[in-house]
Amino acid sequence: MSLVDLRSDTVTRPTPAMRQAMAQAEVGDDVFGDDPTVNLLQEKVAAFFGKEAALFVPSGTMANQLAVSVLTEPGTQLILDEGAHILNYEGGAPAALWGVQLHPLTSENGKPKPQAVRGAIRPKNEHFAPAVALALENTHNRAGGSYWRMDEITAITQEARKLDLKLHLDGARLWNALAASKLDPKTVAAPFDTVSVCFSKGMGAPVGSVLVGSSALIEKARFTRKRLGGGMRQAGILAAAALHALEHHRKRLVEDHARAAALAHVLSSFPGVEVLPVETNIVIADLSGRKETQIDMVETLKEHGVWVVGFGENRFRCVTHLDVDDAGIEFATTVFQKVLGAAV
Ligand SMILES: Cc1ncc(COP(=O)(O)O)c(C=O)c1O
């Protein structure tokens, strides 16, 4: 082995079995609503999360932005965690596309407290943009793959409802959260108006996300998807990959979690390296205690065949996924020992 790519779980390539499922997919024109494979995926994902309807879209970003569009009005506020993907990595879309002001909350582990949500609500007054929705992220990418416990979800969503807020869950890696928490998907999704999930991350599909919610909200989202140019035609080829992933790749996510824990164990043994608690498939190593900069470290690791990404000033991120097996972890361990084992 000469290379292991730990930059993200988005780097997976479809397996031969997934490619075969894609090649054999029955297709139709999904803008007319007659692609049977897309329809089947939408029905399955809606049922899995106990929602009325679902919409297949090209990316997690589009799923999140459709949720923002259907849950808000221009000039209103969406409350979310300061590390949220919607705030940090979606190109300013809530402002650029929907005229929505984001209201970030500080938190530990990407999980704001109910009191913080209450504190963000301003009284009705001509000075203040009204807050109309709250978005949570599960698992939380920037916080290192942390997941929400059911009591935490219940507490914050109940508080949000008391405050008349609509609720979206960015569940790009909700599959990982469910695998780690063993919670029932319907129970986790129940408090939310909309939930987005991705198939192109740990699930190993090449493309595709799904937004679930009530029939009325999904109908609105379908209109806006077309307006954004996200109406796809024979998309069943892609939906087939997602269906294959649902059946064959969901249960194996716990293997990625075990490998991430193994990497974390190795990384935390080196001088000056601090590793954030690992709950799923993301490992964030903080190098504040070392001489090398994060930029140099990422480069040196790459030269040795281990690809990771810089994640803030002093940190790098490793993500385990379908294309990293035990041999990959062993190879990465050897390289980490060579590069980080030396004195600080
Ligand atoms: C938490 C979270 N939400 C949304 C997205 C966006 O997904 P996509 O890259 O498919 O647009 C990502 C991507 O990594 C993510 O980590």
Side-chain angles (χ1 to χ4, degrees):
M1 178 166 298
S2 59
L3 192 157
V4 58
D5 191 346
L6 297 168
R7 288 173 302 167
S8 176
D9 46 11
T10 57
V11 302
T12 55
R13 299 197 175 98
T15 60
M18 182 179 274
R19 283 175 189 263
Q20 202 169 0
M22 295 171 78
Q24 290 170 348
E26 256 190 82
V27 295
D29 187 330
D30 182 49
V31 175
F32 285 113
D34 47 47
D35 187 305
T37 311
V38 171
N39 291 340
L40 180 63
L41 175 69
Q42 291 175 166
E43 279 158 28
K44 279 206 171 184
V45 179
F48 186 85
F49 288 109
K51 297 292 189 197
E52 282 174 359
L55 186 70
F56 186 51
V57 298
S59 68
T61 299
M62 189 182 285
N64 280 339
Q65 290 309 317
L66 291 177
V68 175
S69 89
V70 300
L71 300 180
T72 63
E73 300 286 335
T76 60
Q77 282 192 346
L78 169 67
I79 301 173
L80 73 191
D81 171 64
E82 64 186 344
H85 195 277
I86 292 175
L87 169 64
N88 290 279
Y89 302 111
E90 299 190 8
L97 301 178
W98 321 119
V100 167
Q101 190 177 62
L102 296 181
H103 189 139
L105 305 177
T106 51
S107 74
E108 265 174 49
N109 294 335
K111 295 186 280 186
K113 296 273 185 267
Q115 314 77 284
V117 179
R118 178 163 286 278
I121 303 292
R122 324 279 298 268
K124 268 205 178 88
N125 175 302
E126 62 190 349
H127 292 86
F128 304 135
V132 295
L134 169 72
L136 306 180
E137 191 172 308
N138 192 15
T139 68
H140 198 289
N141 180 12
R142 248 180 108 83
S146 56
Y147 67 86
W148 289 76
R149 277 52 175 178
M150 201 58 222
D151 58 329
E152 297 169 328
I153 297 175
T154 305
I156 194 163
T157 56
Q158 283 184 352
E159 187 68 25
R161 288 301 182 198
K162 282 188 213 148
L163 299 166
D164 254 346
L165 299 174
K166 305 243 175 59
L167 285 157
H168 171 62
L169 179 61
D170 176 352
R173 294 186 182 81
L174 187 53
W175 310 112
N176 296 84
L178 294 172
S181 67
K182 314 267 182 263
L183 288 170
D184 169 48
K186 295 188 186 71
T187 312
V188 170
F192 297 92
D193 297 291
T194 50
V195 179
S196 58
V197 290
C198 289
F199 288 93
S200 58
K201 301 191 169 66
M203 294 286 263
V207 178
S209 294
V210 168
L211 183 70
V212 298
S214 67
S215 302
L217 286 177
I218 294 302
E219 196 182 315
K220 266 176 107 177
R222 188 177 172 94
F223 175 86
T224 308
R225 180 188 69 171
K226 185 72 176 73
R227 176 181 268 170
L228 292 176
M232 300 180 286
R233 303 293 176 172
Q234 286 71 37
I237 289 181
L238 302 174
L243 281 167
H244 180 87
L246 260 186
E247 196 160 329
H248 300 285
H249 295 172
R250 196 164 53 83
K251 300 223 168 89
R252 60 154 305 285
L253 290 171
V254 289
E255 295 173 26
D256 295 342
H257 300 175
R259 292 191 178 108
L263 275 183
H265 182 71
V266 171
L267 283 166
S268 59
S269 71
F270 300 124
V273 180
E274 228 182 277
V275 180
L276 265 58
V278 171
E279 297 188 354
T280 54
N281 68 330
I282 299 179
V283 183
I284 297 182
D286 191 305
L287 303 173
S288 301
R290 293 183 68 96
K291 277 204 299 272
E292 308 97 326
T293 65
Q294 167 261 106
I295 297 173
D296 290 343
M297 181 59 71
V298 170
E299 199 45 47
T300 310
L301 289 171
K302 189 170 182 189
E303 281 161 17
H304 285 79
V306 174
W307 293 11
V308 301
V309 286
F311 217 58
E313 212 182 328
N314 294 313
R315 294 175 170 186
F316 67 84
R317 184 188 75 171
C318 312
V319 187
T320 53
H321 52 77
L322 190 60
D323 290 355
V324 178
D325 56 10
D326 288 336
I329 298 298
E330 266 174 50
F331 175 75
T333 300
T334 311
V335 169
F336 285 142
Q337 269 155 359
K338 213 181 292 173
V339 174
L340 284 150
V344 186

mmCIF file of all heavy atoms in Angstrom, residues 9 32 63 67 92 94-95 130 135 149 151 155 170 182 184 202 225 235 242 253 271 275 301 326 332-333 336 342:
data_model
loop_
_atom_site.group_PDB
_atom_site.id
_atom_site.type_symbol
_atom_site.label_atom_id
_atom_site.label_comp_id
_atom_site.label_asym_id
_atom_site.label_seq_id
_atom_site.Cartn_x
_atom_site.Cartn_y
_atom_site.Cartn_z
ATOM 1 N N ASP A 9 -15.137 11.231 3.847
ATOM 2 C CA ASP A 9 -15.877 10.039 3.417
ATOM 3 C C ASP A 9 -16.578 10.284 2.083
ATOM 4 O O ASP A 9 -17.296 9.404 1.587
ATOM 5 C CB ASP A 9 -16.865 9.573 4.498
ATOM 6 C CG ASP A 9 -17.671 10.719 5.088
ATOM 7 O OD1 ASP A 9 -17.632 11.836 4.532
ATOM 8 O OD2 ASP A 9 -18.347 10.509 6.109
ATOM 9 N N PHE A 32 -40.849 14.519 -15.000
ATOM 10 C CA PHE A 32 -42.254 14.126 -15.187
ATOM 11 C C PHE A 32 -42.742 13.241 -14.030
ATOM 12 O O PHE A 32 -43.886 12.817 -14.013
ATOM 13 C CB PHE A 32 -42.432 13.353 -16.509
ATOM 14 C CG PHE A 32 -42.397 14.230 -17.734
ATOM 15 C CD1 PHE A 32 -41.359 14.148 -18.656
ATOM 16 C CD2 PHE A 32 -43.424 15.139 -17.975
ATOM 17 C CE1 PHE A 32 -41.341 14.949 -19.787
ATOM 18 C CE2 PHE A 32 -43.410 15.947 -19.103
ATOM 19 C CZ PHE A 32 -42.370 15.855 -20.010
ATOM 20 N N ALA A 63 -30.041 19.933 -0.527
ATOM 21 C CA ALA A 63 -31.082 19.471 0.412
ATOM 22 C C ALA A 63 -31.231 20.471 1.560
ATOM 23 O O ALA A 63 -32.343 20.863 1.929
ATOM 24 C CB ALA A 63 -30.719 18.086 0.942
ATOM 25 N N ALA A 67 -34.420 23.104 2.359
ATOM 26 C CA ALA A 67 -35.055 23.168 3.686
ATOM 27 C C ALA A 67 -35.100 24.617 4.170
ATOM 28 O O ALA A 67 -36.140 25.084 4.652
ATOM 29 C CB ALA A 67 -34.282 22.297 4.676
ATOM 30 N N GLY A 92 -22.539 30.947 1.677
ATOM 31 C CA GLY A 92 -23.416 32.075 2.033
ATOM 32 C C GLY A 92 -24.790 31.961 1.413
ATOM 33 O O GLY A 92 -25.512 32.949 1.260
ATOM 34 N N PRO A 94 -27.803 30.918 2.391
ATOM 35 C CA PRO A 94 -29.041 31.447 3.006
ATOM 36 C C PRO A 94 -29.223 32.941 2.717
ATOM 37 O O PRO A 94 -30.351 33.396 2.462
ATOM 38 C CB PRO A 94 -28.823 31.183 4.499
ATOM 39 C CG PRO A 94 -27.920 29.986 4.529
ATOM 40 C CD PRO A 94 -26.977 30.192 3.362
ATOM 41 N N ALA A 95 -28.109 33.710 2.716
ATOM 42 C CA ALA A 95 -28.205 35.136 2.396
ATOM 43 C C ALA A 95 -28.353 35.336 0.894
ATOM 44 O O ALA A 95 -29.216 36.100 0.428
ATOM 45 C CB ALA A 95 -26.952 35.864 2.901
ATOM 46 N N PRO A 130 -37.289 38.600 12.866
ATOM 47 C CA PRO A 130 -37.858 37.487 13.639
ATOM 48 C C PRO A 130 -37.164 36.155 13.330
ATOM 49 O O PRO A 130 -36.902 35.842 12.169
ATOM 50 C CB PRO A 130 -39.322 37.437 13.179
ATOM 51 C CG PRO A 130 -39.372 38.174 11.885
ATOM 52 C CD PRO A 130 -38.225 39.133 11.853
ATOM 53 N N ALA A 135 -31.839 25.065 12.932
ATOM 54 C CA ALA A 135 -31.261 23.903 12.230
ATOM 55 C C ALA A 135 -30.214 23.249 13.132
ATOM 56 O O ALA A 135 -29.353 23.941 13.693
ATOM 57 C CB ALA A 135 -30.611 24.342 10.917
ATOM 58 N N ARG A 149 -27.731 12.731 21.539
ATOM 59 C CA ARG A 149 -28.471 11.717 22.301
ATOM 60 C C ARG A 149 -29.953 12.100 22.246
ATOM 61 O O ARG A 149 -30.281 13.278 22.083
ATOM 62 C CB ARG A 149 -28.010 11.680 23.759
ATOM 63 C CG ARG A 149 -26.748 10.832 24.020
ATOM 64 C CD ARG A 149 -25.608 11.172 23.147
ATOM 65 N NE ARG A 149 -24.367 10.444 23.462
ATOM 66 C CZ ARG A 149 -23.248 10.580 22.783
ATOM 67 N NH1 ARG A 149 -23.179 11.395 21.736
ATOM 68 N NH2 ARG A 149 -22.179 9.904 23.113
ATOM 69 N N ASP A 151 -32.240 12.371 24.530
ATOM 70 C CA ASP A 151 -32.717 13.357 25.526
ATOM 71 C C ASP A 151 -32.300 14.771 25.112
ATOM 72 O O ASP A 151 -33.044 15.735 25.326
ATOM 73 C CB ASP A 151 -32.226 13.008 26.944
ATOM 74 C CG ASP A 151 -30.710 12.936 27.043
ATOM 75 O OD1 ASP A 151 -30.058 12.575 26.030
ATOM 76 O OD2 ASP A 151 -30.158 13.245 28.112
ATOM 77 N N ALA A 155 -34.971 17.734 24.327
ATOM 78 C CA ALA A 155 -34.935 18.995 25.098
ATOM 79 C C ALA A 155 -34.870 20.204 24.167
ATOM 80 O O ALA A 155 -35.637 21.166 24.327
ATOM 81 C CB ALA A 155 -33.736 18.977 26.047
ATOM 82 N N ASP A 170 -29.822 18.814 9.605
ATOM 83 C CA ASP A 170 -28.823 18.488 8.588
ATOM 84 C C ASP A 170 -28.246 17.131 8.970
ATOM 85 O O ASP A 170 -27.385 17.023 9.845
ATOM 86 C CB ASP A 170 -27.729 19.569 8.551
ATOM 87 C CG ASP A 170 -26.610 19.231 7.574
ATOM 88 O OD1 ASP A 170 -26.596 18.103 7.045
ATOM 89 O OD2 ASP A 170 -25.737 20.092 7.368
ATOM 90 N N LYS A 182 -27.734 3.748 17.926
ATOM 91 C CA LYS A 182 -28.734 2.658 17.858
ATOM 92 C C LYS A 182 -30.158 3.194 18.061
ATOM 93 O O LYS A 182 -31.068 2.451 18.439
ATOM 94 C CB LYS A 182 -28.459 1.547 18.896
ATOM 95 C CG LYS A 182 -27.024 1.084 18.981
ATOM 96 C CD LYS A 182 -26.789 -0.126 18.084
ATOM 97 C CE LYS A 182 -25.372 -0.668 18.171
ATOM 98 N NZ LYS A 182 -24.475 -0.208 17.124
ATOM 99 N N ASP A 184 -33.893 4.729 17.028
ATOM 100 C CA ASP A 184 -34.841 4.456 15.957
ATOM 101 C C ASP A 184 -34.930 5.681 15.035
ATOM 102 O O ASP A 184 -35.146 6.803 15.520
ATOM 103 C CB ASP A 184 -36.205 4.163 16.609
ATOM 104 C CG ASP A 184 -37.319 4.139 15.579
ATOM 105 O OD1 ASP A 184 -37.136 3.480 14.543
ATOM 106 O OD2 ASP A 184 -38.341 4.808 15.802
ATOM 107 N N GLY A 202 -20.489 8.486 3.996
ATOM 108 C CA GLY A 202 -20.197 7.133 4.488
ATOM 109 C C GLY A 202 -20.933 6.034 3.751
ATOM 110 O O GLY A 202 -20.501 4.883 3.741
ATOM 111 N N ARG A 225 -36.386 23.062 -6.234
ATOM 112 C CA ARG A 225 -35.305 22.253 -6.830
ATOM 113 C C ARG A 225 -35.239 22.498 -8.333
ATOM 114 O O ARG A 225 -34.169 22.697 -8.909
ATOM 115 C CB ARG A 225 -35.553 20.766 -6.552
ATOM 116 C CG ARG A 225 -34.473 19.852 -7.138
ATOM 117 C CD ARG A 225 -34.834 18.379 -7.026
ATOM 118 N NE ARG A 225 -35.958 18.005 -7.892
ATOM 119 C CZ ARG A 225 -36.347 16.760 -8.107
ATOM 120 N NH1 ARG A 225 -35.722 15.750 -7.513
ATOM 121 N NH2 ARG A 225 -37.374 16.515 -8.905
ATOM 122 N N ALA A 235 -32.570 10.029 -13.482
ATOM 123 C CA ALA A 235 -31.755 10.029 -12.263
ATOM 124 C C ALA A 235 -31.798 8.689 -11.537
ATOM 125 O O ALA A 235 -31.111 8.503 -10.530
ATOM 126 C CB ALA A 235 -32.233 11.139 -11.341
ATOM 127 N N ALA A 242 -27.973 4.803 -4.350
ATOM 128 C CA ALA A 242 -28.435 5.109 -2.989
ATOM 129 C C ALA A 242 -29.226 3.930 -2.412
ATOM 130 O O ALA A 242 -29.058 3.567 -1.238
ATOM 131 C CB ALA A 242 -29.280 6.379 -3.002
ATOM 132 N N LEU A 253 -21.313 0.775 8.851
ATOM 133 C CA LEU A 253 -20.739 2.050 9.298
ATOM 134 C C LEU A 253 -20.029 1.915 10.645
ATOM 135 O O LEU A 253 -19.064 2.643 10.915
ATOM 136 C CB LEU A 253 -21.830 3.132 9.374
ATOM 137 C CG LEU A 253 -22.367 3.590 8.014
ATOM 138 C CD1 LEU A 253 -23.588 4.482 8.190
ATOM 139 C CD2 LEU A 253 -21.293 4.328 7.206
ATOM 140 N N PRO A 271 3.552 13.018 21.208
ATOM 141 C CA PRO A 271 3.748 14.234 22.007
ATOM 142 C C PRO A 271 3.136 15.458 21.329
ATOM 143 O O PRO A 271 3.272 15.627 20.117
ATOM 144 C CB PRO A 271 5.280 14.372 22.090
ATOM 145 C CG PRO A 271 5.840 13.454 21.060
ATOM 146 C CD PRO A 271 4.820 12.403 20.789
ATOM 147 N N VAL A 275 -6.382 14.884 20.614
ATOM 148 C CA VAL A 275 -7.428 14.404 19.701
ATOM 149 C C VAL A 275 -8.797 14.680 20.328
ATOM 150 O O VAL A 275 -9.028 14.368 21.500
ATOM 151 C CB VAL A 275 -7.246 12.895 19.429
ATOM 152 C CG1 VAL A 275 -8.330 12.383 18.490
ATOM 153 C CG2 VAL A 275 -5.871 12.637 18.829
ATOM 154 N N LEU A 301 2.500 14.598 5.627
ATOM 155 C CA LEU A 301 1.743 13.333 5.622
ATOM 156 C C LEU A 301 1.427 12.923 4.187
ATOM 157 O O LEU A 301 1.522 11.755 3.821
ATOM 158 C CB LEU A 301 0.454 13.477 6.444
ATOM 159 C CG LEU A 301 0.647 13.582 7.965
ATOM 160 C CD1 LEU A 301 -0.672 13.944 8.651
ATOM 161 C CD2 LEU A 301 1.189 12.267 8.544
ATOM 162 N N ASP A 326 -8.630 -2.359 7.223
ATOM 163 C CA ASP A 326 -7.666 -2.461 8.325
ATOM 164 C C ASP A 326 -6.239 -2.241 7.839
ATOM 165 O O ASP A 326 -5.412 -1.663 8.551
ATOM 166 C CB ASP A 326 -7.785 -3.834 9.005
ATOM 167 C CG ASP A 326 -9.069 -3.927 9.821
ATOM 168 O OD1 ASP A 326 -9.586 -2.858 10.224
ATOM 169 O OD2 ASP A 326 -9.552 -5.053 10.028
ATOM 170 N N ALA A 332 -1.549 3.897 7.674
ATOM 171 C CA ALA A 332 -1.608 5.252 8.242
ATOM 172 C C ALA A 332 -0.887 5.289 9.587
ATOM 173 O O ALA A 332 -0.148 6.243 9.885
ATOM 174 C CB ALA A 332 -3.065 5.697 8.399
ATOM 175 N N THR A 333 -1.055 4.239 10.378
ATOM 176 C CA THR A 333 -0.406 4.176 11.698
ATOM 177 C C THR A 333 1.108 4.238 11.547
ATOM 178 O O THR A 333 1.800 4.983 12.261
ATOM 179 C CB THR A 333 -0.822 2.869 12.418
ATOM 180 O OG1 THR A 333 -2.233 2.887 12.554
ATOM 181 C CG2 THR A 333 -0.174 2.753 13.776
ATOM 182 N N PHE A 336 2.042 7.774 10.547
ATOM 183 C CA PHE A 336 1.905 8.688 11.690
ATOM 184 C C PHE A 336 3.085 8.502 12.644
ATOM 185 O O PHE A 336 3.636 9.465 13.165
ATOM 186 C CB PHE A 336 0.583 8.444 12.445
ATOM 187 C CG PHE A 336 -0.645 8.971 11.729
ATOM 188 C CD1 PHE A 336 -1.840 8.265 11.755
ATOM 189 C CD2 PHE A 336 -0.612 10.182 11.047
ATOM 190 C CE1 PHE A 336 -2.971 8.740 11.111
ATOM 191 C CE2 PHE A 336 -1.746 10.661 10.395
ATOM 192 C CZ PHE A 336 -2.911 9.949 10.425
ATOM 193 N N ALA A 342 8.337 11.489 16.157
ATOM 194 C CA ALA A 342 9.546 12.240 16.526
ATOM 195 C C ALA A 342 9.189 13.263 17.603
ATOM 196 O O ALA A 342 8.048 13.650 17.747
ATOM 197 C CB ALA A 342 10.057 12.963 15.288
#
